Amino acid sequence: MNDPRSTATVGSFPTSTRHSASAGVELTQDLLRYLTSGQFQPNQRLPGERALAEHMGVGRTVIREAIRSLVLLGVLEVRQGDGTYLRGASSDLLPRVIEWGVLLGTHSIDSLAEARQYIEIDLAGLAAGNRTDVDLARIQQWFYFMESAAEAGDVAKFVEADTEFHLAIAAASGNTVLAGVLTNIRSLLRVWTERVLTTSVRLGDSLDVHRPIYLAIEAGNVDDARAAMSEHMHQAIDNLRRVLDTSPLSNTRM
């Protein structure tokens, strides 16, 4: 493959026939292994949807969902009218592969969720104590975007604003190490949020659990900011586990 923009041949993919309910998960894993195997270059175009479906023995709907998931994680990029391309170098894709493996329900799900919980609580407290007026304006902006998206019932815009709200808090903390950890899993945050918000959680309910966080940071109250983020994280983790069928229904907010 001398031209990084050339389309990979379908024959490079392992042949597989799947008819179970887990077909989408298996296919996504296969695509990830293929994309990080070294056979694909940055900006390499994937074979067409129909060709992939026929070769791998699955329906086009399954292929489409796998591609959509990888686009959400930032592994792939859809260029309208041109096709689907691999994004970034192989080293850049490794963290996203780990993220997707966790999201699929490996034993690491609880560990990563717990780590995120403690990191976000610390970041919220630090943001309340260290934020500048510029930091607060950015946090406020994303909260207002969440509010607007909730009123419009726009899940995609809400997910984007939700993710950026958390990242703005991280940036306001002044701790570049903790903020960097959260930034490195931003695509995972987006997928977690989307999966919960597209099942049974109302956008208005999600907005309600973010409001106390914003108000505490605005007031510069460290303890309240930590408490509000802790409540949010507990609810978010409960709902994620519910969506992934790893725990009983225990909450209805994200």
Side-chain angles (χ1 to χ4, degrees), residues 29-98:
Q29 291 173 330
D30 283 351
L31 282 174
L32 272 174
R33 282 192 290 269
Y34 173 72
L35 293 172
T36 57
S37 66
Q39 300 181 58
F40 235 94
Q41 299 179 41
N43 294 316
Q44 186 79 31
R45 187 169 58 202
L46 269 65
E49 185 179 283
R50 177 179 297 177
L52 286 177
E54 290 177 354
H55 183 77
M56 301 189 76
V58 297
R60 293 181 64 179
T61 299
V62 181
I63 289 286
R64 190 177 301 117
E65 183 61 28
I67 291 175
R68 178 176 177 273
S69 297
L70 295 183
V71 169
L72 283 171
L73 287 175
V75 176
L76 300 176
E77 175 187 6
V78 175
R79 302 178 187 175
Q80 295 300 324
D82 193 16
T84 304
Y85 289 77
L86 177 67
R87 296 181 60 183
S90 296
S91 59
D92 298 326
L93 292 175
L94 182 58
R96 305 190 191 284
V97 174
I98 295 172

Side-chain angles (χ1 to χ4, degrees), residues 12 16 28 32 78 113 116 131 139 150 155 180 185 206 223 225 230 242-243:
S12 299
S16 174
T28 303
L32 272 174
V78 175
R116 179 197 169 187
R131 59 87 175 161
I139 295 170
V155 174
I185 62 168
S206 184
D223 290 341
S230 178
R242 173 171 54 80
V243 171

Side-chain angles (χ1 to χ4, degrees), residues 119 122-123 126-127 130 135 166-185:
I119 289 171
D122 284 342
L123 287 171
L126 288 169
N130 299 332
D135 291 328
H166 283 272
L167 294 177
I169 290 173
S173 73
N175 189 308
T176 57
V177 175
L178 289 178
V181 172
L182 201 66
T183 300
N184 285 336
I185 62 168

